[in-house]
């Protein structure tokens, strides 16, 4: 189904508001409609705590399950609820402020121009992979700058996260690389504790307003998840936007002519072709009624953002179509809703808002070098990611 997201989305949408699914042999519910997802994402009875999952409690799911690393990811704001979640998230919010994002805007613009130069050089005589040369290194450069990670380590992190998300990685190897990432981030935290600098890692370590500071484990957990989400989401957003515009040249012309702002392109892409297809997982602490269905205590719930983004009740009868002329604002939930809404949403929007106009400003005749239906997806269950995106820069 990874290679047929439209078919998967249509099948999920046929079962509203909840669909019964199987994740590599493990049963769960997934919510497929906007209104019910909005309701569930603020329901205190649906929690991130792995110990609330009956299949985990019974031992039917163990660390042998290939997707467990996306749920049992260490202590961080992504894995706790309530007061502890607020404490951990507050520390991150103190470190990832709008002022900090605005301060790194010139760096994002500089990275973008440097990567466009590399793209021009490598694509001068023919086909070039837009993902490998531009869309993938840009967010890793940005998140590396934010976290204070040496650029020489970026390729290693890219390889590690790619292997982590891939369904083809043997579980033994996946667990080993998770352990390696824990060691990497622990060493980074200890270095920044001894020698703090002007970066998010140091800010997380030093943030102590409103209660006890974060532990090393909590800083590591936050960093590990934020780097994963921070660069993977933006890769998908940039490539999906380019793909959608190239498939709809009339709409691309409206953007290039200034009739439609790039912000609208970003929001419509987020709604229609979400970077994250499914987010794993929350667990019911008691029975929860959802329409005519019941999520029983102890059952797991997946949020299927791509199916939700195609909800006709929220977005109109043409919800399955990419249309930057639809009425704005486009009210989607691709970055989540409620207490666990993605803390890096603003960063991803800033990056895409810089990268896309710069790319098409430099290469207005950009086109795919293969047919659109020849683009292959990576074998990833949760991310909407492509193997490659070969393009011709000058048509």
């Amino acid at each position: 189904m990874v290679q047929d997201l439209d078919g998967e989305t249509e099948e999920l949408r046929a079962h509203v508001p909840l669909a019964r699914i199987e994740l590599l042999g493990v049963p769960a519910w997934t919510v497929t409609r906007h209104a019910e997802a909005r309701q569930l994402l603020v329901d205190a009875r649906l929690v991130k705590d792995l110990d609330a999952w009956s299949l985990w409690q019974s031992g039917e799911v163990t660390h042998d399950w290939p997707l467990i690393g996306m749920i049992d990811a260490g202590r961080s704001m992504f894995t706790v609820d309530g007061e502890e979640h607020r404490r951990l998230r507050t520390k991150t919010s103190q470190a990832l402020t709008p002022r900090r994002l605005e301060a790194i805007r010139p760096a994002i613009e500089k990275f973008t121009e440097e990567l466009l130069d590399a793209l021009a050089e490598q694509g001068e005589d023919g086909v070039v992979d837009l993902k490998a040369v531009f869309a993938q290194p840009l967010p890793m450069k940005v998140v590396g700058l934010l976290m204070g990670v040496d650029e020489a380590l970026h390729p290693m992190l890219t390889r590690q996260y790619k292997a982590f998300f891939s369904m083809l990685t043997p579980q033994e190897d996946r667990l080993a690389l998770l352990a390696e990432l824990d060691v990497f981030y622990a060493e980074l935290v200890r270095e920044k504790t001894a020698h703090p600098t002007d970066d998010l890692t140091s800010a997380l370590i030093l943030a102590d307003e409103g209660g006890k500071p974060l532990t090393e484990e909590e800083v590591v957990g936050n960093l590990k998840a934020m780097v994963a989400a921070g660069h993977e989401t933006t890769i998908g957003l940039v490539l999906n936007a380019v793909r959608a515009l190239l498939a709809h040249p009339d709409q691309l012309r409206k953007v290039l002519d200034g009739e439609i702002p790039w912000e609208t392109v970003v929001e419509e892409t987020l709604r229609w072709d979400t970077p994250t297809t499914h987010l794993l997982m929350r667990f019911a602490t008691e029975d929860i009624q959802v329409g005519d269905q019941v999520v029983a205590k102890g059952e797991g719930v997946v949020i299927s953002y791509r199916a939700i983004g195609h909800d006709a009740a929220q977005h109109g009868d043409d919800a399955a179509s990419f249309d930057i002329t639809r009425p704005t604002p486009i009210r989607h939930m691709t970055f989540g809703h409620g207490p666990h809404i993605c803390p890096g949403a603003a960063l991803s929007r800033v990056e895409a808002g810089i990268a896309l106009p710069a790319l098409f400003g430099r290469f207005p005749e950009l086109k795919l070098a293969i047919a659109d239906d020849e683009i292959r997806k990576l074998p990833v269950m949760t991310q909407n990611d492509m193997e490659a995106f070969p393009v011709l820069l000058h048509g």
Side-chain angles (χ1 to χ4, degrees):
M1 299 300 286
V2 169
Q3 301 301 334
D4 183 19
L5 287 182
D6 287 338
E8 177 186 90
T9 300
E10 185 177 343
E11 185 170 343
L12 289 175
R13 294 280 310 133
H15 301 274
V16 292
L18 295 175
R20 196 65 173 163
I21 61 172
E22 187 176 283
L23 299 170
L24 303 182
V26 173
W29 291 101
T30 186
V31 58
T32 63
R33 197 156 60 182
H34 183 98
E36 284 76 9
R38 188 179 178 89
Q39 166 197 333
L40 288 170
L41 287 169
V42 296
D43 195 319
R45 299 170 297 174
L46 204 62
V47 301
K48 291 292 193 82
D49 184 2
L50 178 61
D51 289 332
W53 192 13
S54 60
L55 295 179
W56 179 258
Q57 294 170 351
S58 68
E60 293 176 66
V61 171
T62 68
H63 281 104
D64 290 333
W65 186 50
L67 300 177
I68 194 63
M70 297 182 188
I71 303 171
D72 187 21
R75 182 175 174 77
S76 75
M77 65 179 176
F78 299 93
T79 59
V80 298
D81 302 282
E83 186 58 38
E84 277 300 275
H85 170 259
R86 286 187 288 274
R87 182 180 75 86
L88 295 180
R89 188 180 177 92
T90 296
K91 305 303 181 186
T92 304
S93 299
Q94 292 167 357
L96 196 61
T97 61
R99 185 170 65 87
R100 184 179 291 272
L101 293 184
E102 196 57 34
I104 68 168
R105 178 181 287 273
I108 300 174
E109 293 171 345
K110 176 176 177 289
F111 293 153
T112 299
E113 289 304 314
E114 290 172 348
L115 291 170
L116 288 176
D117 289 344
L119 192 68
E121 181 178 351
Q122 295 189 39
E124 183 176 0
D125 298 322
V127 177
V128 60
D129 183 359
L130 186 67
K131 177 181 178 180
V133 181
F134 182 70
Q136 183 167 277
L138 176 60
M140 183 55 79
K141 282 176 175 285
V142 174
V143 79
L145 174 67
L146 269 175
M147 305 297 179
V149 176
D150 191 299
E151 189 167 349
L153 299 172
H154 294 181
M156 178 275 293
L157 287 174
T158 298
R159 290 193 302 272
Q160 294 284 68
Y161 280 106
K162 179 179 179 181
F164 167 72
F165 283 113
S166 175
M167 291 188 292
L168 300 183
T169 301
Q171 182 63 355
E172 182 178 341
D173 293 348
R174 183 180 288 106
L175 293 175
L177 71 86
L178 283 173
E180 290 172 10
L181 285 172
D182 282 338
V183 171
F184 168 78
Y185 285 114
E187 291 177 348
L188 175 65
V189 170
R190 289 165 193 162
E191 176 190 341
K192 297 295 182 180
T193 300
H195 307 286
T197 53
D198 184 19
D199 53 55
L200 190 143
T201 303
S202 300
L204 283 175
I205 295 166
L206 298 172
D208 61 358
E209 296 87 345
K212 61 182 181 180
L214 302 185
T215 65
E216 179 181 292
E217 179 192 5
E218 290 167 342
V219 176
V220 167
N222 275 4
L223 290 175
K224 188 167 59 174
M226 289 174 68
V227 172
H231 84 281
E232 283 288 340
T233 298
T234 306
I235 293 170
L237 172 54
V238 170
L239 291 179
N240 293 345
V242 173
R243 184 181 188 183
L245 290 171
L246 294 182
H248 300 83
D250 54 330
Q251 297 188 48
L252 174 58
R253 178 45 52 194
K254 291 179 183 295
V255 182
L256 295 181
D257 289 345
E259 297 177 36
I260 304 289
W262 284 102
E263 291 81 359
T264 301
V265 174
V266 169
E267 298 308 315
E268 177 65 354
T269 301
L270 286 168
R271 177 201 71 81
W272 180 69
D273 200 11
T274 56
T276 299
T277 48
H278 312 290
L279 191 65
L280 279 54
M281 191 183 303
R282 299 173 188 233
F283 312 102
T285 57
E286 57 183 84
D287 292 356
I288 302 175
Q289 187 80 33
V290 183
D292 295 330
Q293 297 163 291
V294 174
V295 177
K297 178 181 178 179
E299 290 189 314
V301 177
V302 174
I303 312 298
S304 288
Y305 284 113
R306 196 172 194 276
I308 292 165
H310 287 214
D311 184 0
Q314 173 69 17
H315 301 292
D317 292 339
D318 64 343
S321 300
F322 178 81
D323 183 8
I324 59 175
T325 68
R326 71 176 63 251
T328 55
I330 300 167
R331 300 192 183 280
H332 60 79
M333 292 193 303
T334 296
F335 286 117
H337 176 67
H340 282 280
I341 191 169
C342 177
L347 175 61
S348 190
R349 286 183 166 109
V350 167
E351 290 180 63
I354 292 172
L356 290 169
L359 173 66
F360 281 100
R362 180 84 73 96
F363 307 111
E365 298 178 343
L366 182 78
K367 64 177 287 187
L368 269 172
I370 59 176
D372 183 87
D373 61 8
E374 292 179 25
I375 293 174
R376 298 285 297 172
K377 296 289 185 182
L378 285 174
V380 177
M381 187 170 292
T382 55
Q383 305 298 121
N384 181 5
D385 201 355
M386 308 172 196
E387 291 181 0
F389 197 85
V391 296
L392 294 168
L393 300 179
H394 304 291

